[in-house]
Amino acid sequence: MKFRLLFLLVLVSKIGYSQSEKLDDNKTDNIKNVIALFKEKNIHKISNIISFPLRREYPIPSINDKNEFKQRFNQVFDQTLVDKIVNSKIKQWSEVGWRGIMLDNGIVWIESYEGKITAVNYQSTFEKKLKKDLIAKEKENLHVSLKTFNSPTYKIKTKNYLIRVDELSNSKYRYASWKINKIESSKPDIILNNGALEFEGSGGNHVITFSNGSYTYKVYRNIIGEKNAPDITFEVEKDGKIILTEDGTIMQ
């Protein structure tokens, strides 16, 4: 979610935060439906307008189906967020092209035509504590060389590698990897501490690049792309020439 929030700031700065085109009746009805369901606080009906999985900020696991959603509803939609939705006016909802319709600066996103909730860029007090607890537990199982970081970013599994990316206190990113048959408590095969994040276009896709002599390691996050695009594309270059490419799955 941290990347998504950062992306929203980049996106809003590019497009300007304004409702440049009036929403048509169908889109307005979708927004009114969302507001009405939250006013009723009908969790069952709300679960029918969620596009699953509903991703949460790592290491908090995604919500994968209606049953999980009903169990975790209050963890995500605390009274503060419910009130923001219920008290929102149509003018607070803006369509951002094919990306959908956002409330305010992107606290909630819905699909333009079906009206399903696709993203919730908000973290309740419960989730903030949960994230902190999960990070502390995660650190217990890491090799000593990896226990210090500001925030976990990605844990990735490719065909041949287990990869971990963490944000450090200096806003740089750290890369650590193991052969696929190893675990995070073992010493990493390689650690790089100089990663830099760069967004690619306005779709939210980004790459984190790490340098190691004549080698460059790139972790691409594919948010917007073809339907079957992998979560991650991992590349290694030597002297500017790609010598390895593997698809990756984000682990939670």
Side-chain angles (χ1 to χ4, degrees), residues 28-84:
T28 299
D29 287 344
N30 285 336
I31 294 168
K32 290 179 178 178
N33 181 55
V34 171
I35 294 172
L37 291 179
F38 276 90
K39 189 172 183 178
E40 295 174 18
K41 211 168 183 178
N42 190 320
I43 299 174
H44 174 72
K45 289 184 178 179
I46 294 172
S47 71
N48 291 328
I49 61 162
I50 300 295
S51 179
F52 295 107
L54 184 63
R55 297 190 181 278
R56 309 310 299 142
E57 185 173 356
Y58 180 83
I60 300 173
S62 297
I63 300 175
N64 295 305
D65 55 40
K66 292 181 181 181
N67 288 333
E68 284 187 29
F69 179 80
K70 293 172 185 177
Q71 293 170 6
R72 294 171 59 186
F73 176 86
N74 291 319
Q75 299 176 13
V76 179
F77 295 95
D78 63 6
Q79 196 58 47
T80 298
L81 181 54
V82 170
D83 288 343
K84 283 181 181 292

Side-chain angles (χ1 to χ4, degrees), residues 4 53 108 144 149:
R4 186 175 295 162
V108 175
V144 64
F149 57 85

